[in-house]
Amino acid sequence: MRTRTAARLLFGRRARRRWLHLIIGGALSMPYLLLASVVVGPLTGATDVFSDVGLQLASFACGLPLAALTAALSPLTRPMSVAVVRALCGVDPAELADGPPRTREARARTAAWFTLHLGAGGILSGMTLALPPFALALIALPFVPALRDSDKLVPHVADHPWVLALMPVVGLVLLVALAVCAAVASGLLARWAPALLGPSPADRLAQAEERAADLAVRNRLARELHDSVGHALSAVTLQASAARRVLDSDPDFVREALAAIEDTTRRTVGELDAVLGVLREAGDASATAPAPTLADDLDGLLRRTRAGGTEVTARVDVDPAGLPPLVSREAYRIVQEALSNALRHAGTAVTLRLVRDGDALRITAENPVPDRPVAPRPGGGHGLRGIADRARLLGGTASAGPAPDTPGTWLLDVHLPLPSRKEPKIP
């Protein structure tokens, strides 16, 4: 069992993949070795650097600082190193950073990793190229007379029969030693990878900000879908129900209700396409429908709501066209959700007011409380929360509950701050 475990550690799938990682490091070190040899050769007076092992090692040592310098300067070093480590070293991807380094400290850690990878990879690659042929020759030495008669491999081995008999064992030991060196070097690199290629505090902060921004976009899209589609379904349901009840007695009302249903569904499909376009990250912003606002769409919203048979009394004491675009858009959604709640829970009459209250836009919606409580819808209950979220994002407030001065009435009260008007300059 121990022999099998040791063999798996030295020659298993993970060991082979990590060995390949070292070979990649050796291949990456070759340009730096060649560049350094151009300098080492003239300095030492050697005509052929690669004929001397010492000069090769000197060139290799001189090339590693060049590798560290290029790693520190190139923003692509860390992403490429992380990709290779994730694929070959078996390191948990969550422990590694994404993207280029953002700080000097992260660039220094990346340069240290790149230098270690190329240094260990260059040495192990050289050992991988040299040791296996030599070890195989030693194993075959007692059985191949041509190798035994030549003194180039092992001098005077033919004069000592016991040495000749040990050559296959020495060859096997060399192969195992190479595997042990590769396993130790690759294991150390895999252990050091999270420390050198892991996210820095700046990376973690950037990732948290990206997640927060993505969550904010998702929540905004969820509110848009809830308010748009929820209101449309409620309005269409009431309009169809009212049309069915007077189908034979009031054809004009039926035609008006069907036209309102057609208008509601058409507008809702356009808004749904706009939200789905954002979800798909559509590059053509002009292909998506603009968000509705009080200035452009309040009259149509009231008309479609009344077409379902609901009595809507609206008092608008503020010029919608004079509101800031963001306030106008969010206020429209608040009014839409207020009407949707009234349609679902009361369905008889709604009193809507939009007035300027100091430096704020005040939106109130009143409707009678039904005699029987309405059963909650599965997955429902997000409308008032969405209204509160929209008001809070603009720095305003929202409250909903029984009206204190009018028993039997439900009151929604929203305040949205408005930018203060600039005082005219006195000449």
Side-chain angles (χ1 to χ4, degrees):
M1 181 64 68
R2 292 181 179 178
T3 303
R4 183 179 301 175
T5 302
R8 185 173 64 253
L9 291 176
L10 295 179
F11 304 103
R13 183 173 181 269
R14 187 174 69 173
R16 296 195 303 270
R17 292 169 69 90
R18 289 183 173 180
W19 202 333
L20 177 59
H21 179 253
L22 290 172
I23 299 298
I24 292 175
L28 292 175
S29 69
M30 289 304 299
Y32 301 101
L33 172 62
L34 295 174
L35 183 60
S37 66
V38 176
V39 179
V40 172
L43 290 178
T44 58
T47 57
D48 187 5
V49 173
F50 296 99
S51 62
D52 189 311
V53 176
L55 293 179
Q56 291 183 42
L57 293 177
S59 300
F60 181 72
C62 293
L64 291 180
L66 297 176
L69 180 61
T70 57
L73 296 178
S74 175
L76 298 179
T77 302
R78 190 170 74 171
M80 292 189 299
S81 298
V82 167
V84 175
V85 169
R86 285 176 175 172
L88 299 178
C89 291
V91 179
D92 185 3
E95 297 181 356
L96 303 175
D98 292 322
R102 293 180 170 86
T103 62
R104 182 178 301 176
E105 178 263 344
R107 288 193 294 270
R109 289 190 291 114
T110 302
W113 165 263
F114 192 69
T115 305
L116 286 174
H117 182 205
L118 268 61
I123 295 173
L124 263 296
S125 296
M127 294 172 61
T128 302
L129 291 174
L131 279 183
F134 181 68
L136 292 177
L138 292 181
I139 294 172
L141 191 61
F143 312 104
V144 181
L147 295 175
R148 188 168 57 249
D149 296 338
S150 175
D151 289 340
K152 294 182 179 180
L153 190 63
V154 181
H156 308 294
V157 68
D159 298 336
H160 305 282
W162 63 273
V163 175
L164 184 64
L166 289 178
M167 288 299 102
V169 178
V170 174
L172 292 175
V173 170
L174 288 176
L175 292 177
V176 174
L178 175 61
V180 170
C181 291
V184 172
S186 61
L188 290 176
L189 285 178
R191 178 175 295 183
W192 293 336
L196 297 178
L197 295 177
S200 64
D203 295 324
R204 293 189 178 94
L205 179 60
Q207 292 173 359
E209 291 176 349
E210 291 173 0
R211 287 194 296 268
D214 180 68
L215 182 60
V217 171
R218 292 169 64 89
N219 288 337
R220 180 176 64 84
L221 295 179
R223 288 196 302 269
E224 293 291 329
L225 283 175
H226 175 272
D227 294 349
S228 176
V229 178
H231 171 79
L233 292 177
S234 298
V236 167
T237 300
L238 289 177
Q239 290 162 353
S241 176
R244 179 181 55 83
R245 288 195 301 267
V246 296
L247 181 60
D248 298 326
S249 59
D250 194 348
D252 293 335
F253 179 83
V254 172
R255 281 192 292 270
E256 183 180 352
L258 291 177
I261 290 174
E262 180 183 4
D263 186 28
T264 300
T265 53
R266 182 185 297 111
R267 292 182 56 84
T268 304
V269 168
E271 295 177 14
L272 184 61
D273 287 341
V275 176
L276 293 179
V278 175
L279 288 174
R280 298 189 190 102
E281 297 181 352
D284 185 9
S286 63
T288 60
T293 61
L294 284 181
D296 299 328
D297 303 280
L298 178 60
D299 292 339
L301 176 63
L302 297 177
R303 183 180 64 256
R304 292 189 297 273
T305 304
R306 293 182 178 117
T310 302
E311 181 182 348
V312 180
T313 302
R315 173 188 168 188
V316 182
D317 291 341
V318 63
D319 182 14
L323 298 175
L326 180 60
V327 175
S328 181
R329 184 174 68 246
E330 297 301 320
Y332 176 87
R333 289 303 190 190
I334 291 173
V335 171
Q336 186 182 54
E337 182 59 30
L339 294 176
S340 296
N341 287 336
L343 291 176
R344 283 193 294 264
H345 299 291
T348 54
V350 185
T351 300
L352 179 69
R353 298 184 181 89
L354 287 85
V355 298
R356 189 180 184 100
D357 186 5
D359 290 335
L361 172 65
R362 184 179 183 184
I363 303 173
T364 60
E366 296 182 0
N367 59 267
V369 177
D371 298 333
R372 293 181 300 173
V374 179
R377 295 176 294 111
H382 301 290
L384 294 178
R385 185 188 309 170
I387 291 176
D389 288 342
R390 292 181 185 276
R392 184 170 57 253
L393 288 175
L394 294 178
T397 60
S399 62
D405 301 330
T406 310
T409 302
W410 183 269
L411 173 64
L412 171 68
D413 193 358
V414 181
H415 285 73
L416 303 179
L418 295 174
S420 58
R421 295 178 179 176
K422 296 182 179 180
E423 297 295 333
K425 296 182 180 180
I426 301 177

